[in-house]
Amino acid sequence: MTATMLGSVSIGAFDGVSLDMLIRQGFRPVPITRTQQVAPDVLLVELSPAEATASFPPGSHLEVAVPLPDGPAIRLYSLVTQVGAGEPTGPGEGSGVLRIAILREAAGRGGSAWLHEHLPTCTSLLVRGPRDTFGYRGDTPTFFVAGGIGITPITVMVAAAAEAGIDWHLLYVGRRLESMAFAEDLARTYGTDRVSIHTTAESGRPDVVAAVREWSAEVGAPVTVCTCGPVPLMRALDIGFADDPAITVISEDFDSDVSPPGSTAPGVVTTGSAARSPVLGSPSGTTSTASFRTADAANSPRTTASAGTDQPFVVELGDGSEVDVPPGCSIIEALGQAGIRTLSSCQKGTCGTCETVILDGEADHRDSVLSPEEHAAQETMMICVSRACGPRITLDL
């Protein structure tokens, strides 16, 4: 089965155990219909699911399984709308084609490099989704701020805003124009009165807070800021409008293939982060050390999970086996040390990849993905950060 499933190296490169785990957890092979280089290090990939693609919310992403030498890795990539070929295609419209854009990470852990090297000859990918954890609402005037590959989810939001007829503006920041995927198409499609392209090589770092304030004053109404890109850019916006009730900031940051500090427990299938801003609740690119001007932005941490008290507890699995989870150790780490494979992405409680069904017991939820209502329902938990409320919890693993 592994060697012949759609004839794709991306499928055939998984061993049988890994492939079985991925299929059981909802990944499915989806045909690749086209790849296109849209910037020097950005590859656009079109996928055509066999099933009809239902409409998905702007900001949704796909989880992509990548067969790396040390085991399968999961990367999260925002869905991209088609820009520049006639009218922009909105969420879930048209032929049912799903599009993602993959940045090749120079300092990554191999996932994006593997995809760039092999996708042109692949016939399919193992994917899960679409899933929305961004939270775009589209009911108020919106200022979009994109940095680098963070433009990917913003393309769909811009198309939705234009279709809905709400007031909006896009500020797209990048190093050089030639490295900014979709920049010229966006400006040509929507006009330079709606789309501002800022290249830092020529103009330096923009004052994103001032840009939003100026546009908000022109609009004269409550404004939503949707931003995705380097952490310093989003942090500047979070801090700049923390005390402004007229401006709501929704942000999403990408560090999906950048090597994190520390080591990984054996058996843990890690992938990188697609982390949402913890203020508002989580798909792929890279963090940056670039600075964006606002008071104290560089000194304010971005945390996600709450800091509960770590007590030891036991995780019972679906087959009746048990794994001890000591203080200071996550469920995923404990499972890995016991030789049990799991899927994880951010390991910060922000992306949702490790969401696991609770069969019995209550979770001490510490994630930033599930809503308060979902926390109270105690149906699922993020096993990368959340713990058990009592001495025991049973999970569908």
Side-chain angles (χ1 to χ4, degrees), residues 68-123:
L68 296 183
D70 56 351
I74 311 302
R75 299 292 186 261
L76 280 69
Y77 296 102
S78 295
L79 289 165
V80 184
T81 195
Q82 180 174 329
V83 180
E87 291 298 315
T89 303
E93 296 178 356
S95 61
V97 171
L98 300 176
R99 299 176 182 88
I100 58 176
I102 301 171
L103 172 68
R104 181 167 188 151
E105 304 281 1
R109 290 173 290 138
S112 63
W114 192 98
L115 290 169
H116 269 254
E117 291 167 7
H118 291 87
L119 279 180
T121 59
C122 286
T123 60

Side-chain angles (χ1 to χ4, degrees), residues 193-210:
D193 57 331
R194 290 282 190 187
V195 178
S196 299
I197 307 299
H198 185 103
T199 56
T200 59
E202 297 176 356
S203 305
R205 304 295 172 186
D207 188 337
V208 290
V209 172

Side-chain angles (χ1 to χ4, degrees), residues 337-363:
Q337 291 165 5
I340 299 169
R341 292 189 178 187
T342 57
L343 294 180
S344 173
S345 180
C346 67
Q347 298 199 49
K348 298 187 294 186
T350 55
C351 73
T353 295
C354 69
E355 185 172 5
T356 303
V357 172
I358 301 171
L359 299 178
D360 189 38
E362 293 188 1

